[in-house]
Amino acid sequence: MTKAEIQLIKSLGDKRGRDAEGLFIAEGEKLIAEIRASHFRIRKIYALEGVFEGDDVEIVSEKEMQRISQLKSANNSLALVEIPRHRLDVDTLKGRLVLATDEVQNPGNMGTIIRLADWFGITDIICSKGSADCFNPKVVQATMGAILRVRVHYADLPPVLEHAAQLGMPVYGTFLEGENIYRAELADEGIIVMGNEGRGISQEVERTVSRKLFIPPYPADCRTSESLNVAMATGIICNEFRRRTSAD
């Protein structure tokens, strides 16, 4: 490998580098095989001997793989993948269930939320501009391939949610003063907003929320943890929406 190649790959660990090059990193034989079978375009694959074949594959040594890997323990392959461009058209989201993240900044949480969206058949996530980049290497790994099927959009969140509300879509958010989610009326369409790990949903975004929900602890009169991890809360909420609306 050349120094230029190594520098390029290392630069993709940073959002500025990814934006400049239009590329992101994916590591591991299983994930790269999934990408090869998807609509995503792979620019190049670096792999140990015998892992992949093809004109886009460059065989590297274990030492070289350790130098370019973004993981603590280097995998057997690394791919440079072109970042897809998804156009956000709020009007097309009418009648569907959508997730939104308001400053969710932990890469592991963001990756898990994308994976949950994929599991529960949610094809679009709208993220505030301060949310973790979905093509951060840690996020990509945490999605376990879900990034190939879920469209992630970045936008100024309040105007998008206001537009959705004007279309008649409910905007849901979780709050301590919200209605018990297990008793609340839930629609089969709408945007579910998940807030920042420490601060929750911002005041600007809260103004656009039409339905406040609360995930109650059990039993209600016992002392429990102060809050739920945002990815865990997302799973509970998505499950309740799908359980309820699929049963209707």
Side-chain angles (χ1 to χ4, degrees):
M1 294 185 70
T2 66
K3 286 185 178 179
E5 284 180 302
I6 293 171
Q7 288 175 348
L8 168 64
I9 294 168
K10 287 186 177 295
S11 76
L12 300 180
D14 183 80
K15 188 177 187 305
R16 287 173 295 181
R18 292 191 292 275
D19 289 345
E21 300 295 335
L23 298 170
F24 73 93
I25 291 170
E27 297 193 51
E29 187 175 354
K30 184 177 183 296
L31 177 57
I32 294 172
E34 275 197 75
I35 296 172
R36 270 186 150 183
S38 75
H39 63 283
F40 280 52
R41 294 183 61 184
I42 291 178
R43 184 78 57 84
K44 193 163 190 177
I45 297 172
Y46 299 90
L48 302 181
E49 183 78 44
V51 178
F52 285 111
E53 294 182 357
D55 295 337
D56 58 349
V57 178
E58 180 176 332
I59 305 303
V60 298
S61 67
E62 288 189 11
K63 186 176 180 180
E64 287 174 319
M65 187 60 69
Q66 288 169 358
R67 289 187 68 185
I68 63 175
S69 176
Q70 300 282 325
L71 305 175
K72 287 183 179 179
S73 299
N75 222 309
N76 60 10
S77 48
L78 179 150
L80 305 184
V81 188
E82 294 182 11
I83 294 175
R85 302 298 177 188
H86 304 304
R87 179 174 172 269
L88 175 60
D89 183 352
V90 180
D91 290 33
T92 65
L93 302 179
K94 175 71 177 167
R96 293 156 56 190
L97 200 59
V98 179
L99 280 173
T101 66
D102 182 16
E103 307 292 299
V104 172
Q105 296 174 338
N106 180 278
N109 285 336
M110 179 61 74
T112 302
I113 288 171
I114 295 170
R115 189 176 176 186
L116 284 163
D118 187 38
W119 182 262
F120 287 105
I122 296 171
T123 58
D124 289 87
I125 300 176
I126 307 168
C127 301
S128 66
K129 293 178 180 179
S131 293
D133 179 20
C134 66
F135 295 110
N136 175 311
K138 292 180 180 177
V139 177
V140 172
Q141 293 303 125
T143 71
M144 300 292 285
I147 193 68
L148 306 177
R149 294 173 291 275
V150 177
R151 294 182 291 270
V152 183
H153 314 272
Y154 287 82
D156 186 12
L157 208 50
V160 171
L161 298 176
E162 287 169 5
H163 186 173
Q166 288 167 5
L167 295 173
M169 295 177 69
V171 178
Y172 298 93
T174 52
F175 297 86
L176 290 175
E177 71 274 17
E179 184 180 3
N180 185 324
I181 190 172
Y182 302 118
R183 298 173 187 160
E185 184 178 338
L186 305 177
D188 58 3
E189 71 162 351
I191 299 180
I192 304 167
V193 183
M194 304 307 300
N196 173 270
E197 288 87 348
R199 301 184 303 274
I201 292 174
S202 65
Q203 288 185 347
E204 275 191 326
V205 171
E206 181 179 354
R207 294 189 191 103
T208 70
V209 173
S210 57
R211 298 287 307 280
K212 293 185 176 182
L213 301 174
F214 172 62
I215 302 171
Y218 183 85
D221 57 349
C222 285
R223 184 175 180 178
T224 60
S225 300
E226 185 177 301
S227 63
L228 286 173
N229 168 278
V230 64
M232 187 181 296
T234 302
I236 293 169
I237 291 169
C238 289
N239 179 72
E240 185 62 14
F241 266 86
R242 289 309 194 202
R243 183 190 70 83
R244 193 89 62 81
T245 55
S246 63
D248 289 345

